[in-house]
Amino acid sequence: MGRSLDKENPTRCSVSEGKPNRCIIFPANVSMVAEALERRNKDRIVRAKVASDLIVQIADSCFHLHKLAMVSKSEYLNRIVFKRRSNGEKENNPMIFISNFPGGIEIFELVVKFCYGWKVDVTATNIAALYSAANFLEMNDDLDQGNLITKTEAFLSFSILSSWKDTFQILKSCESIQSWAKELHILKRCSEAIALKASINKKGFTFHDGDAQGALANNVEDWEKEGRADSWWFEDVSSLRIDHFIEVINSIKRKGITSELVGSCIAKWTSKWLSQITSGLNNVTPKQLTHQLRRVTTESLIRILPEEENAVSCNFLLHLLKLGLMMKINAELLNKLERRIAFMLEHCRVSDLLVRNYGENDTVYHVGIVVRVVECYVSFVLRNPAPRIFVVGRLVDGYLTLIARDKNLAAKRFQLLAEALPKSARVCDDNLYRAMDIYLKAHPDLTEEERTSVSRAMEFHKLSQEARQHMMKNERLPLKMRARYILLEQVNITKVMTAGGSNFCRTKGQAIIRVSKGLEKGRMSSHKEIKVMKKEVETMKMQLNQLQMCKTQLQNQVKSWR
């Protein structure tokens, strides 16, 4: 192929409506004319009137080239050839081996075409690798004006700034040249371009993405109707790999986008990632490496969370905590996450605590993480008493009621959560009693010891009268506990009646209510009335002493049952 080149316009870009950006580039000056580039098995041979005097090996392929064409464009190759000549190496060893070449064989073939003056088709999928290869080979303007670095730089900047879709394709292509993309700031430029477009009006720039433009326009209209117009960029950003996603999120934060939107985007990405894990789509790497990647990913997600209080939901953070425990992430990060969730409990609903399990023998919801968070909250409250601790008490009781019917929920786990809060966290134990009763009903095969442990957190004096009546007839409760509560109820009744002026006489464990004797009918002298009143007072004192002794005996009996 000859060089029918337009030297006045050596770079031709196509940005026609409905088509992705593409560019045809070729050098302004060509040092050597070649006829064709032939493929023989894995090798590439440039056919020209002059015999090949340079072989460059990329991976397992050898390119049979000419020094004049390559050295005139690449300072890297120029330096190697000149060094060999200076050291007096024989000319019959023209082999140059290049390891870790950006983009591999396909990209080096494009470089060869450029050096021989053939047109090179550049798109968003290969521009990052070609730009990196040009920098690797040091193809700058010092050797030849309009060299490959300049050409690729121009198209790279144009694509990133002009097309939303191309920016994501460029980011995707950077996965295979990660170190070069980072060193040459390709990742940073793409991330900042995405952040800029996400932070402005979605109609404020042109997409140039054909069908994607119409689809996005329709989506934007739907989002506007649903009040989610600001989140139009979520779907594309959440498709990025974790390291690229972090770059984009950090750029978005610097643009001042609200923490709520940033948090929602992180939740969106995490949701898609979790769905890949559960469906097995993310299991292409070895098991050990997969676990390490997931651990690093989880830690990265926690680190980029916005610090603002309402940026992310409690439920999302609980899912992250579950992941963190599974992946055995950094302990400091885990504790930080637990504290953050603990501080949110006072504003949570029961539904916010629901994190599903998917194992066949697991509980429906992950109770362990809720126990951890509540215990973390209690440790904070003990140091700094919180006025809204009663809210958390109601929250925990509501959660216990919801999970109580779970057949796989162990009595020990139920007990841990019920006893995680201090007794002062509950003004009334009716909700706790309801949760316990549901649990005991759903688990009829519990031992007496297990039923006792489940019911231990409940306090009799914090139950309403209706709950007490139900409890004393409840055969699901442990026998000793029922007997103790019945005795306590009798003591309470005795106290109430004594305070109301009735007279009581206690014998061995039974309360015999004696109706107060009325004063004798008829008129009595004042002296006689005083005498009767004194006698009544003495009788009441004696009855009170007996009642106190009875109470002490009951307490001793309860202690012996324990």
Side-chain angles (χ1 to χ4, degrees):
M1 184 182 294
R3 63 178 184 112
S4 55
L5 308 177
D6 183 357
K7 294 185 179 181
E8 295 181 356
N9 185 22
T11 303
R12 295 175 179 171
C13 294
S14 169
V15 200
S16 56
E17 187 70 25
K19 295 181 179 179
N21 291 342
R22 63 186 297 268
C23 186
I24 305 297
I25 63 173
F26 37 79
N29 302 300
V30 180
S31 302
M32 182 176 182
V33 177
E35 297 175 0
L37 176 62
E38 298 178 351
R39 294 190 181 187
R40 295 180 185 175
N41 297 323
K42 294 182 179 181
D43 295 345
R44 271 74 164 170
I45 300 173
V46 174
R47 185 159 50 84
K49 294 180 180 180
V50 182
S52 170
D53 59 355
L54 177 67
I55 300 175
V56 178
Q57 183 177 348
I58 307 293
D60 58 351
S61 294
C62 290
F63 289 77
H64 296 260
L65 311 169
H66 302 84
K67 291 179 182 177
L68 181 60
M70 301 303 295
V71 167
S72 64
K73 294 289 190 292
S74 169
E75 191 171 330
Y76 173 83
L77 294 176
N78 191 333
R79 189 166 55 252
I80 293 177
V81 171
F82 179 77
K83 184 178 179 180
R84 286 184 175 182
R85 185 173 297 174
S86 300
N87 293 338
E89 294 185 25
K90 296 180 179 180
E91 291 292 328
N92 59 2
N93 182 26
M95 174 74 73
I96 296 176
F97 176 73
I98 301 178
S99 60
N100 300 322
F101 184 78
I105 299 169
E106 290 76 13
I107 296 301
F108 190 76
E109 184 174 326
L110 296 180
V111 172
V112 169
K113 288 182 177 180
F114 180 84
C115 291
Y116 282 91
W118 296 318
K119 67 178 182 179
V120 177
D121 194 358
V122 184
T123 65
T125 57
N126 65 17
I127 182 59
L130 189 58
Y131 179 63
S132 301
N135 279 272
F136 178 92
L137 294 171
E138 302 172 35
M139 301 176 72
N140 51 57
D141 286 1
D142 293 340
L143 285 178
D144 186 36
Q145 196 66 28
N147 211 339
L148 189 56
I149 290 180
T150 303
K151 304 281 188 189
T152 51
E153 166 65 33
F155 181 71
L156 178 65
S157 300
F158 179 77
S159 297
I160 290 174
L161 292 175
S162 67
S163 174
W164 175 263
K165 182 179 180 180
D166 281 0
T167 306
F168 283 90
Q169 287 183 335
I170 292 170
L171 272 177
K172 181 68 176 175
S173 69
C174 287
E175 293 179 3
S176 60
I177 54 166
Q178 183 69 12
S179 59
W180 279 97
K182 193 169 184 178
E183 182 179 337
L184 297 173
H185 305 294
I186 301 175
L187 295 180
K188 183 178 179 181
R189 291 164 66 181
C190 288
S191 300
E192 289 179 347
I194 292 171
L196 176 64
K197 293 171 184 177
S199 64
I200 64 177
N201 191 319
K202 60 274 171 191
K203 297 178 181 177
F205 58 92
T206 305
F207 291 90
H208 295 300
D209 293 338
D211 296 337
Q213 183 178 0
L216 183 58
N218 294 333
N219 286 340
V220 166
E221 291 179 4
D222 294 339
W223 288 327
E224 285 176 337
K225 292 176 183 177
E226 298 173 12
R228 299 187 295 113
D230 290 338
S231 62
W232 61 269
W233 45 275
F234 279 17
E235 192 65 34
D236 290 321
V237 172
S238 62
S239 67
L240 297 173
R241 201 172 70 172
I242 180 62
D243 49 347
H244 297 169
F245 177 72
I246 291 171
E247 286 278 352
V248 171
I249 288 297
N250 287 332
S251 297
I252 284 174
K253 286 180 179 179
R254 289 192 293 268
K255 290 296 179 184
I257 292 180
T258 62
S259 59
E260 288 82 2
L261 274 178
V262 174
S264 297
C265 185
I266 294 173
K268 173 79 173 177
W269 189 96
T270 308
S271 176
K272 291 184 71 172
W273 177 59
L274 283 174
S275 67
Q276 290 177 346
I277 292 177
T278 54
S279 61
L281 298 178
N282 204 28
N283 293 334
V284 294
T285 51
K287 187 174 182 180
Q288 184 177 359
L289 182 59
T290 299
H291 179 84
Q292 184 178 356
L293 287 173
R294 290 176 182 175
R295 179 174 56 80
V296 172
T297 299
T298 306
E299 291 178 347
S300 301
L301 289 170
I302 296 172
R303 286 191 177 98
I304 63 172
L305 288 174
E307 296 292 337
E308 288 77 5
E309 184 177 349
N310 298 317
V312 286
S313 68
C314 178
N315 187 259
F316 170 65
L317 292 179
L318 282 169
H319 277 88
L320 270 187
L321 180 59
K322 177 186 175 183
L323 271 175
L325 291 169
M326 290 171 56
M327 298 296 113
K328 298 179 180 178
I329 65 170
N330 179 275
E332 185 178 347
L333 275 178
L334 202 62
N335 293 335
K336 180 181 178 182
L337 187 59
E338 283 182 0
R339 288 195 299 271
R340 180 167 184 172
I341 302 171
F343 293 146
M344 299 174 70
L345 285 180
E346 295 178 358
H347 307 284
C348 286
R349 299 167 298 178
V350 172
S351 58
D352 295 328
L353 304 182
L354 302 180
V355 177
R356 292 191 70 90
N357 281 324
Y358 296 96
E360 186 175 342
N361 297 320
D362 291 334
T363 54
V364 177
Y365 299 107
H366 201 301
V367 182
I369 56 173
V370 179
V371 174
R372 290 178 67 106
V373 171
V374 172
E375 289 176 345
C376 180
Y377 173 82
V378 171
S379 67
F380 170 76
V381 168
L382 293 177
R383 296 191 302 269
N384 305 281
R388 292 175 59 83
I389 190 173
F390 302 114
V391 176
V392 179
R394 289 195 297 271
L395 176 71
V396 171
D397 290 347
Y399 180 76
L400 285 169
T401 302
L402 192 145
I403 64 172
R405 293 184 176 86
D406 190 342
K407 297 293 185 182
N408 293 327
L409 180 59
K412 185 65 177 177
R413 187 70 73 180
F414 186 97
Q415 177 194 356
L416 282 174
L417 185 53
E419 297 178 353
L421 286 170
K423 296 185 181 298
S424 59
R426 296 181 177 94
V427 178
C428 177
D429 278 358
D430 282 17
N431 291 333
L432 179 60
Y433 170 64
R434 180 168 177 264
M436 289 176 177
D437 188 43
I438 293 173
Y439 181 83
L440 293 173
K441 186 176 182 180
H443 301 79
D445 298 329
L446 294 177
T447 64
E448 185 77 4
E449 184 180 354
E450 287 175 328
R451 286 191 292 160
T452 301
S453 66
V454 166
S455 310
R456 190 174 294 152
M458 183 174 57
E459 293 188 284
F460 179 78
H461 67 275
K462 288 186 179 180
L463 294 174
S464 65
Q465 189 60 37
E466 293 78 9
R468 292 180 186 180
Q469 293 299 323
H470 183 276
M471 181 212 63
M472 287 188 291
K473 300 175 184 177
N474 191 347
E475 296 182 355
R476 289 185 285 271
L477 287 174
L479 181 60
K480 289 183 178 180
M481 184 171 287
R482 283 180 58 208
R484 183 179 65 182
Y485 287 164
I486 290 172
L487 290 173
L488 289 175
E489 181 67 6
Q490 290 178 346
V491 171
N492 287 337
I493 293 173
T494 303
K495 286 182 179 180
V496 171
M497 297 187 68
T498 302
S502 299
N503 298 319
F504 292 83
C505 179
R506 281 286 191 185
T507 59
K508 301 176 181 179
Q510 290 185 338
I512 303 174
I513 303 174
R514 189 182 66 181
V515 180
S516 300
K517 293 182 178 180
L519 298 175
E520 292 182 3
K521 294 182 181 181
R523 302 178 66 179
M524 299 178 65
S525 64
S526 58
H527 178 73
K528 203 169 184 178
E529 288 178 355
I530 293 173
K531 190 175 180 180
V532 171
M533 291 175 65
K534 283 182 178 181
K535 189 175 180 179
E536 287 287 335
V537 168
E538 291 297 327
T539 303
M540 290 179 66
K541 284 181 179 180
M542 198 162 65
Q543 290 175 346
L544 284 172
N545 288 333
Q546 292 175 348
L547 185 62
Q548 186 64 36
M549 291 175 60
C550 184
K551 177 183 175 183
T552 303
Q553 291 175 356
L554 285 172
Q555 288 176 340
N556 292 333
Q557 289 179 6
V558 168
K559 288 180 181 179
S560 65
W561 286 340
R562 286 179 181 174

